[in-house]
Amino acid sequence: MAKPKKTPRPKAETPKGFRDYFGSEVTHRAEMLQKIAGVYHRYGFDALESSAVETVEALGKFLPDVDRPNEGVFAWQEDAEADKKGDWLALRYDLTAPLARVYAQHRNDLPTPYRRYAMGPVWRNEKPGPGRFRQFYQCDADTVGTASMAADAEICAMLADCLEEVGIARGDYVVRVNNRKVLNGVLEVAGLSGPDKEAERGIVLRAIDKLDRLGPEGVRALLGEGRKDESGDYTKGAGLGAAQAEVVMGFMEAKRATGAETVARLRALVEESEIGRQGVDELELIADLLSAGGYGPDRIEIDPSVVRGLGYYTGPVFEAELTFEIQDEKGRTRNFGSVAGGGRYDDLVKRFTGQEVPATGVSIGVDRLLAALAAKGRLENRAEGPVVVTVMDRDRMADYQAIVAELRAAGIRAEVYLGNPKNFGNQLKYADRRQSPVAIIEGGEEKARGVIQIKDLVLGAKIAESATLEEWKDRPSQIEVPRTELVARVREILDRTD
């Protein structure tokens, strides 16, 4: 008789493009979200938590293919009912598309303008890479229902405040502001308006977006006949004449020493374009509003090189860039780059209502910010684990539970060791793996004398590394105190290790 085949065990591994987060990673993210939420709240924004699942129709950006809307989103089809096919559903790919649906659905019950912030994971069915995951956190704030440039200026100011609140020092970041209308005006002046120039506009916009990587000469080549890179690959250019290319290059090189000078240069470039002049006026107004609020060019600046969401944003666009240098995984020095961005999008809600609803907002990349703080050594490396109450006698578990309850009642994170207490060394190894700052020891003899042993594990580790015998005697890592002083003495140690 043949033996039945064994069912293969499933592999214990995360799906490609996803990862698990442990302990301090989760704690640091939660603390950052709390700080950012505090700034948003201070600015008068209300929290919104919408569904992680939307209909593909509501998401809008990724429309169904022949059988399945699988371009960029994780989607599935509901079971069909008797008289119709099931709806296509998808995990949200950002927090803005759900906002448009929420506002359109509940607009009669919401104030105008509606100011909301939202935080949570989003999912994108894209090819993963180093530091690029299919699930990541976003932290958004948006104002829906006003065309006032004061809303855009406020978003920029709030973004600067958020960066400083989480630990990015002034001077280590800049919020850069541009306006899509100015860019449209430049394209119009360069003779690239109209439906027959759509292909050329696309090449020009992609070239502008590559300025940081290719430099002015590389972009200039793409504006002309094309560019061959170091590997020999050839990229076809937009085929612009010299005069047309100079208009575009003049826009990209329009930044001057002050915001006023930059605005003046942009105004000269687009004076023949109505839409361009509107964009410059809006930039000038944003700069004036920010200056009145005390946000100077050391924090927020006008920068024509900012190009974001070319088919999405309709007016001001902004980007927060960290300006300090880090070492990448190959040991190369580079700037950290962008950690947040946003802009005005006046057409998104219109998909639902048929009427234009002005809106502006920003999205902060929380994981990118955490990586930046870690690279700069600005994440607190304090002991994250709980105080561990060791077990010297398993028959006295009630005594140990009373100890841990007293610590918790005082607001101190604590736990009783619940493994096999036979080997005391294993209990201390457990505390070490938990990154515990303190271990509590109470044997029968300590219990009878009304005392308790407190072991400072952080100090003990330092002593083991480098302390002399005299230093060890002067400040021992384990002390005996009256049982009544337990909470006060543990708190003293925790205050030293924070």
Side-chain angles (χ1 to χ4, degrees):
M1 182 177 176
K3 292 184 178 179
K5 291 184 178 180
K6 291 184 178 180
T7 303
R9 294 188 180 94
K11 290 184 178 179
E13 60 182 12
T14 53
K16 189 175 182 181
F18 296 84
R19 60 161 295 193
D20 301 310
Y21 296 86
F22 295 91
S24 62
E25 294 175 306
V26 178
T27 301
H28 285 138
R29 182 202 286 142
E31 290 175 349
M32 176 174 286
L33 291 175
Q34 186 178 33
K35 290 176 180 178
I36 295 173
V39 176
Y40 288 166
H41 187 76
R42 194 161 67 239
Y43 271 72
F45 286 72
D46 288 332
L48 171 68
E49 185 173 316
S50 61
S51 170
V53 176
E54 297 280 347
T55 65
V56 168
E57 182 183 26
L59 285 177
K61 183 179 177 182
F62 303 95
L63 298 177
D65 294 333
V66 176
D67 298 315
R68 170 182 177 78
N70 198 34
E71 186 62 36
V73 297
F74 291 98
W76 64 95
Q77 192 171 24
E78 285 189 302
D79 292 338
E81 297 179 7
D83 58 342
K84 65 177 182 178
K85 291 183 178 180
D87 289 334
W88 278 101
L89 304 178
L91 290 171
R92 64 191 181 200
Y93 60 81
D94 72 2
L95 298 175
T96 311
L99 169 64
R101 189 267 305 162
V102 167
Y103 183 79
Q105 182 178 349
H106 300 284
R107 62 188 182 279
N108 292 333
D109 301 318
L110 294 173
T112 300
Y114 175 52
R115 299 149 67 83
R116 85 87 174 90
Y117 69 89
M119 302 175 174
V122 298
W123 296 265
R124 296 187 183 178
N125 190 7
E126 299 172 335
K127 184 178 180 180
R132 185 184 182 92
F133 297 99
R134 289 170 164 169
Q135 176 181 319
F136 52 94
Y137 263 73
Q138 284 190 337
C139 187
D140 289 17
D142 297 78
T143 299
V144 183
T146 178
S148 171
M149 289 298 105
D152 301 86
E154 180 181 63
I155 290 286
C156 292
M158 187 167 65
L159 177 54
D161 286 353
C162 283
L163 294 176
E164 294 186 16
E165 183 73 17
V166 302
I168 305 297
R170 198 171 301 185
D172 277 347
Y173 75 88
V174 62
V175 177
R176 303 184 296 144
V177 187
N178 193 13
N179 194 305
R180 179 62 203 273
K181 292 178 182 178
V182 178
L183 180 53
N184 289 343
V186 168
L187 295 176
E188 185 178 331
V189 172
L192 295 175
S193 58
D196 60 320
K197 299 292 185 180
E198 184 175 354
E200 289 89 341
R201 284 199 303 273
I203 295 174
V204 169
L205 294 174
R206 287 191 292 273
I208 292 173
D209 201 25
K210 295 176 181 177
L211 177 63
D212 288 345
R213 184 162 60 87
L214 301 182
E217 291 309 310
V219 172
R220 192 183 295 273
L222 289 176
L223 297 178
E225 294 305 313
R227 176 182 179 273
K228 182 181 290 187
D229 64 20
E230 295 176 355
S231 67
D233 289 340
Y234 181 78
T235 302
K236 182 181 177 181
L240 302 188
Q244 291 176 296
E246 283 308 310
V247 172
V248 177
M249 293 304 298
F251 166 74
M252 297 174 64
E253 298 168 351
K255 187 178 178 184
R256 297 294 187 264
T258 68
E261 292 174 355
T262 301
V263 167
R265 175 58 181 149
L266 290 173
R267 193 177 297 282
L269 285 171
V270 299
E271 60 183 350
E272 299 174 17
S273 166
E274 172 63 26
I275 189 70
R277 293 195 299 272
Q278 289 179 19
V280 174
D281 289 342
E282 290 177 358
L283 276 180
E284 189 170 38
L285 178 55
I286 289 173
D288 289 344
L289 292 170
L290 288 169
S291 178
Y295 295 84
D298 59 326
R299 305 172 74 183
I300 304 172
E301 65 181 16
I302 305 298
D303 189 340
S305 69
V306 178
V307 180
R308 297 184 55 83
L310 295 171
Y312 183 77
Y313 293 116
T314 58
V317 290
F318 19 88
E319 187 170 71
E321 180 181 347
L322 304 189
T323 55
F324 55 75
E325 293 182 338
I326 63 167
Q327 299 292 316
D328 66 14
E329 61 276 3
K330 295 183 180 180
R332 298 170 298 192
T333 299
R334 62 178 181 85
N335 284 342
F336 192 89
S338 175
V339 293
R344 178 162 287 277
Y345 52 97
D346 287 347
D347 295 334
L348 195 60
V349 181
K350 185 178 180 181
R351 293 180 51 249
F352 298 94
T353 64
Q355 299 173 330
E356 185 175 285
V357 178
T360 186
V362 67
S363 181
I364 297 176
V366 174
D367 296 314
R368 288 273 297 164
L369 260 183
L370 286 170
L373 291 171
K376 291 291 286 184
R378 293 179 186 171
L379 289 180
E380 296 180 29
N381 293 317
R382 62 183 184 274
E384 295 285 350
V387 171
V388 170
V389 178
T390 61
V391 176
M392 305 301 291
D393 183 350
R394 69 176 71 214
D395 293 331
R396 291 182 48 239
M397 186 59 75
D399 290 337
Y400 303 125
Q401 290 293 348
I403 293 172
V404 80
E406 185 178 342
L407 291 168
R408 290 168 180 165
I412 296 172
R413 189 179 182 214
E415 67 173 78
V416 176
Y417 178 73
L418 297 178
N420 188 340
K422 186 174 182 180
N423 187 321
F424 182 72
N426 287 343
Q427 297 192 51
L428 294 183
K429 288 180 182 178
Y430 170 81
D432 183 56
R433 293 194 68 177
R434 295 283 280 129
Q435 293 185 290
S436 300
V438 173
I440 305 299
I441 306 165
E442 186 193 63
E445 191 264 337
E446 283 91 1
K447 173 72 172 177
R449 292 194 294 116
V451 298
I452 202 160
Q453 302 283 339
I454 301 177
K455 189 171 183 64
D456 185 338
L457 299 175
V458 175
L459 178 60
K462 291 179 180 177
I463 289 173
E465 287 178 3
S466 59
T468 65
L469 179 60
E470 288 73 20
E471 290 172 327
W472 179 81
K473 289 179 178 177
D474 182 57
R475 189 182 168 191
S477 62
Q478 183 169 322
I479 58 174
E480 181 179 283
V481 303
R483 172 67 178 80
T484 55
E485 296 181 10
L486 168 67
V487 170
R489 301 303 287 272
V490 168
R491 197 180 297 282
E492 285 179 11
I493 294 173
L494 296 180
D495 288 343
R496 288 201 301 266
T497 59
D498 279 349

